Amino acid sequence: MEVKNENQVISEIIRTLPSDYYATEQSKNYYRQYDGCDDFLISDKLINGIWDFFNYKIMNLSDLGNENIPATVSVLHTNSGAGKILEKAPNNTTLFAYNLDYVCKKITDILCQDKSKEGNYFSKIRDISEYYIARETNNSRKYDIVITQPMPNMTFYRGVDCNDELTSQEPLEYYMKRSLDFVEENGFLVVIYSPDKEEDIKVFSKKLKLNIHHIIKVKELDNIGYQSIILSKNKKQ
């Protein structure tokens, strides 16, 4: 008899949940054990560092309000994994999660269920390359914050995006470039990356003429886990 590992068990449970399922906190903790999504190794310290930056930079994430972005802050995660980053988003945010993995999408849905109940969370099985199947376009919806975590195996865009030059690029450069199309004029791009890609990130940021606002590293995880860089299209911020 085949012995199933925890990932297999969780995956089977997720696939049988009813559409109106609402998880208890105990159930959420169980689903957080699933390590089959790209964000599993992202540390809580890194996530807290990202949101701490935006709590300081975008004042209306708190109760003080902000004349630059008076409404709720819109956040798109282009590959949300199991929702580790989005579930810790500040209260005054509206979240949008894209994912190509059904189980990871559903775990993100579960961890963000309170936001969904408030009408401030939306998710789709989608990759941003699908906006470029037929032609180049910059008419996609724009967001105040766009988060992307390009992984080496994320090659879905090849054979989907109509721009052959872009699809020949590695995932890190491709998703940095395409994610910018979804960023508001005064918005921010957050890139999650492994430490060995730090120099590549700086090269791509310079090539794309991006302003570097903040680099977040977790010292005790210097050579494992992930780092993040927060960028903007406008140099005068």
Side-chain angles (χ1 to χ4, degrees):
M1 183 177 177
E2 181 186 358
V3 178
K4 297 180 181 178
N5 62 38
E6 203 64 52
N7 274 6
Q8 290 174 310
V9 174
I10 292 173
S11 177
E12 290 182 5
I13 293 172
I14 289 292
R15 293 177 188 279
T16 60
L17 294 176
S19 58
D20 60 348
Y21 175 75
Y22 201 81
T24 64
E25 195 57 40
Q26 183 179 6
S27 295
K28 288 182 184 180
N29 287 332
Y30 177 62
Y31 297 133
R32 288 186 183 103
Q33 297 177 47
Y34 186 80
D35 65 3
C37 303
D38 294 335
D39 60 346
F40 185 74
L41 291 178
I42 298 178
S43 71
D44 288 341
K45 284 188 177 181
L46 186 73
I47 296 169
N48 292 337
I50 292 169
W51 293 123
D52 285 347
F53 170 84
F54 286 119
N55 275 318
Y56 168 78
K57 192 72 175 179
I58 304 176
M59 291 299 293
N60 71 317
L61 283 178
S62 68
D63 295 330
L64 298 178
N66 180 10
E67 61 182 8
N68 296 320
I69 308 177
T72 63
V73 176
S74 58
V75 181
L76 169 67
H77 198 320
T78 68
N79 54 314
S80 69
K84 286 189 72 174
I85 296 177
L86 292 184
E87 76 159 313
K88 294 193 173 185
N91 289 333
N92 196 30
T93 52
T94 301
L95 308 178
F96 300 82
Y98 289 174
N99 225 314
L100 287 177
D101 184 286
Y102 178 79
V103 174
C104 297
K105 174 193 178 297
K106 292 302 292 183
I107 294 175
T108 304
D109 293 348
I110 289 168
L111 297 183
C112 297
Q113 63 185 12
D114 292 336
K115 278 277 193 184
S116 179
K117 189 175 181 181
E118 297 166 358
N120 290 320
Y121 170 80
F122 307 89
S123 67
K124 292 181 179 179
I125 294 288
R126 179 170 294 180
D127 185 85
I128 58 174
S129 64
E130 294 177 81
Y131 286 92
Y132 306 94
I133 291 176
R135 61 187 175 88
E136 288 284 338
T137 178
N138 195 24
N139 295 326
S140 54
R141 175 172 179 166
K142 304 295 188 282
Y143 303 84
D144 301 312
I145 301 169
V146 175
I147 304 168
T148 191
Q149 185 189 347
M151 303 294 287
N153 63 346
M154 284 176 52
T155 57
F156 177 86
Y157 60 93
R158 292 175 180 164
V160 175
D161 194 308
C162 67
N163 188 315
D164 292 337
E165 182 180 351
L166 278 181
T167 57
S168 68
Q169 297 171 348
E170 292 302 307
L172 183 60
E173 185 171 9
Y174 175 84
Y175 282 102
M176 282 184 68
K177 174 69 171 66
R178 281 309 196 196
S179 294
L180 286 171
D181 288 344
F182 296 80
V183 179
E184 284 278 12
E185 183 178 348
N186 294 312
F188 298 89
L189 173 65
V190 181
V191 184
I192 312 295
Y193 61 95
S194 57
D196 64 309
K197 297 295 184 182
E198 184 169 2
E199 290 307 313
D200 290 340
I201 283 281
K202 291 177 180 177
V203 169
F204 298 151
S205 298
K206 185 176 181 180
K207 181 178 177 181
L208 295 169
K209 299 180 180 180
L210 299 176
N211 186 31
I212 298 176
H213 288 268
H214 194 37
I215 295 175
I216 304 170
K217 301 179 182 180
V218 180
K219 290 183 178 180
E220 59 266 35
L221 300 175
D222 201 24
N223 294 311
I224 59 174
Y226 293 96
Q227 300 174 175
S228 71
I229 187 168
I230 299 175
L231 307 154
S232 70
K233 291 187 284 189
N234 303 313
K235 293 196 173 183
K236 293 182 180 180
Q237 289 247 0

